[in-house]
Amino acid sequence: MFPTIIAGPCVIESMECLETVAQELVRLNEKYGLDIIFKSSFDKANRTSIHSYRGPGLEKGMQMLADIKEKYGLRILTDIHESYQALPAGEVADVLQIPAFLCRQTDLLVAAARTGRIVNIKKAQFLSGLDMEFPVQKVRESGNDNVWLTERGNIYGYNNLAVDFRNIADMHHFTDTVIMDCTHSVQRPGAAGGKTGGNREFVPAMALAAKAFGANGYFFEVHPDPDNALSDGPNMLYLTDLDRVVASLIDE
């Protein structure tokens, strides 16, 4: 059974960037017989600074993702921050993602559930795996049983995260698909002078550790040139490194 793999640039920067990543995901799908889900955000509403780049917005961003879906045949995941975004995003995206800070927002969860799309809820940095029973319950009691959960670390003092991998096993009590966010878990929130820092060198080990604890999905933000990316550069993988990391997660 192949794992669920989600990959793509943090935020939509340009069509050129989206296509470069999409072409590599298609290549990896063909090489390994996978179904990698393409991820990018039309709006990063939770950036550290008001001056940070947020993305092209809902209408333009979803059109760009629709073009990628049509041209490359990839499934699409994007995140939503407000309830009104669920319906238009769900017309394109196969998976709607609930950001970690918003995972208890009832109206957002209900709106995502009502689209009928898969709802991927990221565990908040201040919650345990067992606490995720109740966000899942909100989605299911809104008529949607297609719920995934994602581990992305917990706040550990200031400007740091730590991963308790036991959360993966705990969240399996509530859903069959538990994903490890291998790139956001190595963030250093707000630690780069108005931007989020990170340590991408730990991403491959995060993935393997999560596999050992029973994760069956992996989330990687990737970019052709992460050091010059407009969002989350320090924790994103180089696109050229994704092949090696994916290969390490596939059971022979």
Side-chain angles (χ1 to χ4, degrees):
M1 186 73 176
F2 287 125
T4 297
I5 295 177
I6 302 160
C10 175
V11 66
I12 298 171
E13 298 181 11
S14 67
M15 201 63 195
E16 179 184 9
C17 180
L18 295 184
E19 293 210 69
T20 298
V21 174
Q23 289 163 10
E24 176 64 3
L25 299 191
V26 169
R27 187 188 72 83
L28 294 178
N29 280 341
E30 293 173 351
K31 179 178 179 178
Y32 295 111
L34 299 173
D35 178 22
I36 301 175
I37 301 170
F38 185 98
K39 181 269 172 187
S40 198
S41 300
F42 58 83
D43 181 22
K44 299 298 292 185
N46 57 353
R47 296 299 305 275
T48 302
S49 169
I50 196 170
H51 303 293
S52 297
Y53 176 74
R54 288 180 52 168
L58 177 62
E59 184 175 353
K60 183 177 180 181
M62 292 313 301
Q63 183 58 59
M64 294 169 78
L65 291 175
D67 291 345
I68 290 294
K69 183 174 188 176
E70 181 178 3
K71 184 173 181 178
Y72 295 98
L74 293 165
R75 289 197 290 164
I76 300 292
L77 177 149
T78 198
D79 40 13
I80 57 174
H81 291 82
E82 299 187 56
S83 300
Y84 78 87
Q85 297 171 341
L87 188 58
E91 291 176 353
V92 175
D94 302 273
V95 185
L96 293 178
Q97 182 165 274
I98 307 300
F101 285 129
L102 301 178
C103 74
R104 302 200 327 181
Q105 295 296 105
T106 301
D107 290 346
L108 185 61
L109 290 164
V110 171
R114 287 177 175 168
T115 67
R117 297 301 195 178
I118 297 168
V119 180
N120 181 35
I121 313 172
K122 298 182 77 170
K123 181 184 72 62
Q125 299 91 327
F126 47 85
L127 295 179
S128 73
L130 292 176
D131 291 329
M132 296 305 292
E133 174 183 3
F134 303 102
V136 170
Q137 183 183 71
K138 291 177 182 181
V139 173
R140 289 194 170 136
E141 293 192 8
S142 300
N144 189 339
D145 287 329
N146 297 314
V147 190
W148 299 348
L149 290 174
T150 294
E151 167 62 31
R152 54 99 68 243
N154 283 81
I155 297 167
Y156 188 70
Y158 297 117
N159 307 126
N160 207 359
L161 297 171
V163 177
D164 181 351
F165 289 97
R166 295 174 298 180
N167 285 326
I168 293 170
D170 286 341
M171 290 193 293
H172 267 304
H173 292 300
F174 314 122
T175 181
D176 291 336
T177 302
V178 176
I179 294 162
M180 181 67 204
D181 185 338
C182 304
T183 44
H184 285 100
S185 60
V186 300
Q187 281 183 332
R188 300 293 302 277
K195 297 185 294 184
T196 290
N199 300 97
R200 74 172 66 94
E201 65 270 23
F202 298 129
V203 168
M206 283 288 183
L208 289 172
K211 180 180 179 180
F213 276 85
N216 53 6
Y218 305 90
F219 180 109
F220 302 102
E221 286 192 332
V222 297
H223 193 281
D225 183 13
D227 289 333
N228 290 298
L230 299 180
S231 176
D232 274 7
N235 58 266
M236 277 199 284
L237 274 181
Y238 281 92
L239 182 61
T240 52
D241 290 335
L242 183 60
D243 189 334
R244 172 176 56 87
V245 176
V246 166
S248 73
L249 299 170
I250 298 174
D251 292 322
E252 297 297 336

